[in-house]
Amino acid sequence: MVMSKELAKTGEKVKTNSFNMIQAINDGLKTVLEKDKRTLLLGEDIGKNGGVFRATDGLQTKFGEQRVMDTPLSEAGFVGTAVGMALNGLKPIVEIQFLGFIYPAFEQIATHVTRTRTRTLGHYHMPMVIRAPYGTGVRSPEIHSDSVEAFFAHMPGIKVVCPSTAYDAKGLLLAAVEDPDPVLFLEPMRLYRGKRYEVPVEEYHIELGKGTMVAQGGDVSIFAWGAMMPIALEAAENMKQQAISCDVIDLRSLYPLDKEIIANSVQKTGRVVIIHEGHETGGIGSEIISIINETSFLYLKAPIEKVTGFDVPVPLFALENDYLPTTDRIEQAILKVYEF
């Protein structure tokens, strides 16, 4: 994590605001727009309306229509436009209203956004951030609640990050904008207006590709991210009543994954539970298991358990609670690996 190096040396107190995640993202966008005139925002309804979740509220008024642009309803069109902007020295930040709406832009991302550095032998970069609210839990219609981060983690050339706190949201966003290569910035809708955190006023970066230990224990390692973090922490707290202590690790970056933090925890506990709301087959959890097999297989004391969404389309809101991982399912998985 890079934050306030000068303040760290002097011991000066860092000024903060109490923000939920949507406020932290808005503040992060304001920070980068003020810092660099090459930065601009594109997306549907992000200007006058401030975005469907109000992540860009007030930014068009402050920075003008040339910096905060409402686009036609064409994800392929405005992602393709952002490619041209990035190739010509700008730093576009694109908002996809919901991750499920990214499918029309998939071709642009797979064939242009992710390949520019390779295609030009490193002569050109693609300094672009694609923001996308994702996940279930807010009673959205069909295609609004998909959790398909695994599609993009399979594309060399783009990083995939997902904050679970307001503090991480701003720090990861600022780091993503500074990255010379494209970043898919996933925002868990269920956490947008949840818990408040103290978020520094000044610019700070959280290194991409690095997870963080949120809780420490010696019996079971729990790996999660995004909206799964609160229920992972709740389940870990509940297990203390049975004298079972858990490492709870927020991976934050899904591509690249933090292999070091994964291996260190597994080699300490020998038991693993992985949680994600995306579909089980081909999910990020399977890649985490692969990393564990490569780095820590001989330390395992039990087979690894996954608690995930099911291999069905995300159901309509009346059934979405039956689709999501729950604390009860997580606790059952913890007991299973602990008692093996």
Side-chain angles (χ1 to χ4, degrees):
M1 185 184 302
V2 179
M3 189 193 83
S4 310
K5 290 183 178 178
E6 294 77 12
L7 292 177
K9 291 177 182 177
T10 63
E12 183 179 341
K13 187 175 181 181
V14 177
K15 185 178 180 181
T16 64
N17 288 312
S18 178
F19 281 159
N20 60 28
M21 184 178 288
I22 201 73
Q23 292 170 321
I25 291 168
N26 181 274
D27 189 58
L29 293 172
K30 182 177 70 174
T31 298
V32 297
L33 287 167
E34 289 175 338
K35 177 184 176 181
D36 191 340
K37 291 185 177 180
R38 296 174 299 166
T39 303
L40 65 161
L41 312 184
L42 300 86
E44 299 162 356
D45 297 324
I46 68 167
K48 184 176 180 180
N49 289 339
V52 67
F53 291 103
R54 303 299 182 263
T56 55
D57 190 33
L59 297 181
Q60 189 179 78
T61 299
K62 183 175 179 61
F63 296 100
E65 295 181 4
Q66 298 300 310
R67 302 283 306 283
V68 182
M69 303 179 185
D70 283 313
T71 66
L73 303 182
S74 173
E75 286 77 12
F78 59 75
V79 171
T81 299
V83 170
M85 290 175 167
L87 288 173
N88 284 278
L90 299 175
K91 298 171 74 172
I93 303 173
V94 174
E95 178 180 303
I96 306 292
Q97 279 194 342
F98 296 86
L99 182 59
F101 294 0
I102 205 169
Y103 304 135
F106 200 86
E107 188 274 336
Q108 289 287 344
I109 297 168
T111 62
H112 300 296
V113 173
T114 59
R115 296 174 182 261
T116 294
R117 182 198 279 266
T118 301
R119 182 177 293 149
T120 64
L121 302 179
H123 291 290
Y124 286 87
H125 299 273
M126 186 56 59
M128 176 195 304
V129 176
I130 301 174
R131 296 179 40 248
Y134 88 102
T136 57
V138 297
R139 301 296 190 262
S140 296
E142 184 186 13
I143 309 177
H144 290 61
S145 301
D146 290 6
S147 182
V148 290
E149 57 269 30
F151 285 169
F152 302 93
H154 195 65
M155 293 184 185
I158 189 169
K159 298 179 177 71
V160 182
V161 301
C162 180
S164 68
T165 70
Y167 179 89
D168 284 358
K170 182 177 176 180
L172 288 169
L173 179 60
L174 296 180
V177 173
E178 289 298 313
D179 197 287
D181 294 311
V183 179
L184 176 61
F185 191 84
L186 298 175
E187 301 168 6
M189 294 184 287
R190 211 155 45 134
L191 303 184
Y192 266 157
R193 290 177 169 81
K195 185 177 178 180
R196 289 178 173 271
Y197 294 81
E198 292 302 313
V199 177
V201 172
E202 67 176 58
E203 180 178 357
Y204 65 99
H205 295 174
I206 293 176
E207 184 178 355
L208 306 184
K210 294 294 183 183
T212 184
M213 183 83 69
V214 181
Q216 294 193 44
D219 296 318
V220 179
S221 298
I222 300 175
F223 299 103
W225 56 88
M228 297 296 96
M229 285 304 302
I231 62 171
L233 286 166
E234 181 182 356
E237 186 65 27
N238 291 343
M239 297 313 296
K240 291 180 180 178
Q241 299 174 15
Q242 301 187 49
I244 300 173
S245 64
C246 302
D247 272 359
V248 182
I249 294 168
D250 184 351
L251 289 170
R252 298 193 297 199
S253 285
L254 307 181
Y255 187 73
L257 285 163
D258 187 344
K259 295 183 179 181
E260 183 178 2
I261 200 170
I262 294 170
N264 287 343
S265 180
V266 175
Q267 290 172 22
K268 178 176 69 172
T269 68
R271 303 178 182 91
V272 179
V273 174
I274 301 166
I275 310 162
H276 62 74
E277 66 177 278
H279 310 304
E280 179 180 12
T281 300
I284 301 292
S286 298
E287 184 61 25
I288 297 169
I289 292 173
S290 177
I291 290 170
I292 293 168
N293 283 339
E294 292 169 2
T295 64
S296 313
F297 179 76
L298 295 179
Y299 292 85
L300 290 174
K301 301 173 185 177
I304 297 168
E305 284 290 310
K306 290 189 296 183
V307 182
T308 72
F310 298 101
D311 287 339
V312 298
V314 178
L316 296 177
F317 55 81
L319 295 173
E320 69 178 18
N321 287 343
D322 297 313
Y323 172 86
L324 278 170
T326 62
T327 53
D328 182 61
R329 288 175 60 196
I330 296 167
E331 289 170 22
Q332 290 179 33
I334 293 171
L335 284 172
K336 186 174 181 179
V337 299
Y338 184 76
E339 296 174 348
F340 180 78

